[in-house]
């Protein structure tokens, strides 16, 4: 199973470099994006995960890797689980890149690199990639990567930009009833509870999606 995860990383050596370059450019390009640190510690890891996942399945489909893998003594359940595990590996790579860029960037004196990564940033990354992958993989296992190209682009834009748009809306519309209820909840619960709840929601989506994908893939014909 873990060899399949390593395979998805090994076939994307160039992507490791592209992801690093994006981690350098994104904080400057999205500096004004709310909240503070989103463009440095949240958006790049999310985008990195999306790129790795998309390219991994794209290479599989292009090289017909699934046919080869399914001819080996590997359970289909393990193939599906390996894809889901890779999500956390890719997200971790993105977070490490962002921390590295943030650390080095502090020596430049630029304000964009002034903040440090927070637990909330990490929670936002993992929650977002869990929700993204929970939608992405069942559709991929059902229809294949080529047939879901347009859907994939829309999904990526929603997952990457929706959190920032939602936060900007809350800042600009403080009198909204919905925003007030959210603010009340945030004001009366600890940060630990907030982070745990957000991560729990993401993991629930993730596990439900995993079960659905396993059922789809078990019945798939090649």
């Amino acid at each position: 199973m873990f060899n399949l995860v390593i395979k998805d990383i090994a076939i994307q050596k160039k992507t490791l470099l592209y992801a690093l370059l994006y981690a350098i450019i994104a904080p400057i390009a999205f500096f004004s994006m709310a909240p503070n640190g989103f463009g440095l510690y949240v958006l790049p890891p999310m985008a990195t995960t999306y790129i790795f996942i998309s390219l991994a399945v794209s290479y599989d489909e292009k090289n017909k890797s699934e046919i080869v893998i399914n001819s080996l003594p590997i359970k289909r359940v393990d193939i599906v689980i390996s894809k889901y595990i890779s999500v956390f590996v890719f997200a971790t790579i993105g977070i490490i890149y962002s921390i590295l860029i943030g650390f080095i960037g502090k020596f430049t004196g630029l304000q964009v690199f002034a903040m440090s990564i927070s637990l909330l940033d990490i929670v936002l990354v993992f929650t977002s990639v869990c929700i993204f992958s929970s939608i992405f993989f069942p559709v991929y296992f059902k229809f294949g990567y080529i047939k879901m190209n347009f859907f994939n682009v829309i999904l990526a834009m929603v997952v990457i930009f929706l959190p920032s748009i939602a936060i900007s809306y809350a800042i600009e519309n403080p009198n909204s009833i919905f925003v007030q209820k959210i603010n009340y909840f945030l004001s009366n619960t600890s940060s630990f509870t907030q982070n745990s709840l957000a991560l729990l929601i993401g993991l629930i989506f993730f596990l439900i999606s995993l079960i659905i994908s396993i059922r789809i893939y078990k019945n798939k014909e090649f």
Side-chain angles (χ1 to χ4, degrees), residues 58-214:
S58 174
Y59 288 145
D60 281 346
E61 192 146 325
K62 180 180 179 181
N63 299 318
K64 300 187 183 301
S65 299
E66 281 189 307
I67 297 176
V68 176
I69 292 174
N70 276 279
S71 67
L72 301 174
I74 301 175
K75 295 180 180 179
R76 290 195 175 190
V77 172
D78 291 340
I79 295 173
V80 175
I81 293 177
S82 71
K83 291 296 184 186
Y84 279 78
I85 291 176
S86 69
V87 172
F88 296 106
V89 176
F90 297 149
T92 301
I93 291 174
I95 291 172
I96 292 173
Y97 275 171
S98 291
I99 293 175
L100 178 63
I101 298 304
F103 177 76
I104 296 175
K106 283 182 173 64
F107 293 100
T108 67
L110 296 176
Q111 187 178 357
V112 64
F113 299 111
M115 68 286 294
S116 299
I117 192 169
S118 67
L119 178 60
L120 176 60
D121 294 329
I122 297 174
V123 169
L124 281 174
V125 171
F126 281 108
T127 301
S128 298
V129 298
C130 279
I131 294 175
F132 164 76
S133 57
S134 69
I135 301 172
F136 177 91
F137 280 124
V139 179
Y140 162 70
F141 284 119
K142 180 67 176 180
F143 300 105
Y145 183 74
I146 294 177
K147 293 182 179 179
M148 63 176 291
N149 266 339
F150 179 74
F151 172 82
N152 189 22
V153 173
I154 299 299
L155 176 61
M157 292 178 64
V158 170
V159 173
I160 290 176
F161 293 106
L162 184 60
S164 180
I165 294 174
I167 293 171
S168 296
Y169 174 83
I171 294 174
E172 296 171 2
N173 300 274
N175 296 322
S176 168
I177 295 177
F178 179 74
V179 172
Q180 288 179 348
K181 288 183 177 181
I182 294 296
N183 287 334
Y184 177 82
F185 170 78
L186 296 177
S187 300
N188 291 275
T189 55
S190 65
S191 57
F192 176 79
T193 301
Q194 296 168 20
N195 293 332
S196 299
L197 181 60
L199 192 56
L200 178 62
I201 292 173
L203 289 174
I204 289 174
F205 274 100
F206 194 78
L207 291 174
I208 293 174
S209 172
L210 175 60
I211 294 171
I212 294 173
S213 291
I214 289 174

Side-chain angles (χ1 to χ4, degrees), residues 4-54:
L4 295 175
V5 177
I6 295 173
K7 183 265 296 181
D8 284 343
I9 298 175
I11 62 177
Q12 300 187 74
K13 293 179 180 178
K14 290 183 179 180
T15 308
L16 289 169
L17 176 59
Y18 296 148
L20 180 59
L21 292 175
Y22 183 83
I24 297 172
I25 297 172
I28 299 173
F30 300 101
F31 174 63
S32 61
M33 187 174 285
N36 291 336
F38 187 89
L40 175 58
Y41 294 116
V42 180
L43 183 58
M46 287 167 57
T48 295
T49 305
Y50 160 72
I51 292 170
F52 270 110
I53 291 174
S54 298

